[in-house]
Amino acid sequence: VVDGLIADNLFQNVYGSYVIKEQYGPSGATYRNNAGYTLNPVYAYWGGSYDQEMSFNQWALASGETDGLNVEIRFDDTDASRPLFPLSADAINAGHPLAAVPADILGNPRNSLRPTIGAYEVKSSSVELTESDSAGALAAGGTITASGSLTLEAYGATARIFGLNGVLLRQVPVDGPTVIDVATLPRGLYILSLGESSCKLLVR
């Protein structure tokens, strides 16, 4: 909570009660980019004279929350140094950057454009282009242009390059920034996949 702003929080209620409860009615707080989940169809409660239970959609409308998510996140508790660490952040790399919160709970810098919702800054398993990439851009059905090498960033993923005939030409494990040599590939158009993401790869 920063100056009345409640943002980038991960509210997961596995006991089936409310995600958000304002005991005395609307508090006047500003909500944005929070991710909540409960087994209960009732998501939030306003008390006081309101005495109103609300679904997620009703809560979003009544509270005016901006870019809130209703999503279940599972956690990895195998490492005691980072309890309640999200198994995947693909659904929650959708936070709002806050100048007052430049780092996560472990001291890792927050993404300056789209921080991870919750206590930890977590890399997505999808394709992320870095400054060392060629001038191409990844988008839905987009094309990356590469010459010599291609740098991809993901964690616990595998990059695969296919010919247009579907034949697998190259397979590279990606766990952090990874340089993929494409200099030995003939110039032309290929298909690049990483995790659940895919795009065209133009080798020049």
Side-chain angles (χ1 to χ4, degrees), residues 20-166:
I20 296 172
K21 181 177 181 179
E22 296 201 353
Q23 184 68 38
Y24 304 106
S27 65
T30 300
Y31 290 86
R32 68 172 304 163
N33 299 78
N34 297 292
Y37 175 78
T38 177
L39 296 173
N40 193 335
V42 178
Y43 184 89
Y45 173 76
W46 272 350
S49 60
Y50 287 84
D51 191 24
Q52 182 178 2
E53 293 183 330
M54 292 171 278
S55 67
F56 172 78
N57 289 335
Q58 290 170 329
W59 159 258
L61 182 63
S63 68
E65 173 152 11
T66 304
D67 296 328
L69 300 174
N70 184 21
V71 59
E72 181 181 11
I73 301 298
R74 298 190 180 277
F75 300 102
D76 175 12
D77 284 329
T78 59
D79 186 345
S81 68
R82 54 176 201 180
L84 296 177
F85 191 86
L87 283 171
S88 171
D90 290 353
I92 53 174
N93 281 329
H96 175 69
L98 299 169
V101 190
D104 74 357
I105 196 171
L106 299 177
N108 299 314
R110 290 288 194 185
N111 185 297
S112 61
L113 298 177
R114 273 300 195 192
T116 306
I117 295 173
Y120 302 99
E121 187 64 25
V122 186
K123 293 288 186 180
S124 170
S125 62
S126 61
V127 177
E128 295 184 16
L129 297 181
T130 67
E131 293 181 359
S132 57
D133 289 321
S134 55
L138 176 66
T143 302
I144 295 175
T145 302
S147 177
S149 66
L150 172 70
T151 301
L152 299 177
E153 181 175 352
Y155 292 81
T158 299
R160 296 179 175 88
I161 298 176
F162 299 87
L164 294 182
N165 58 1

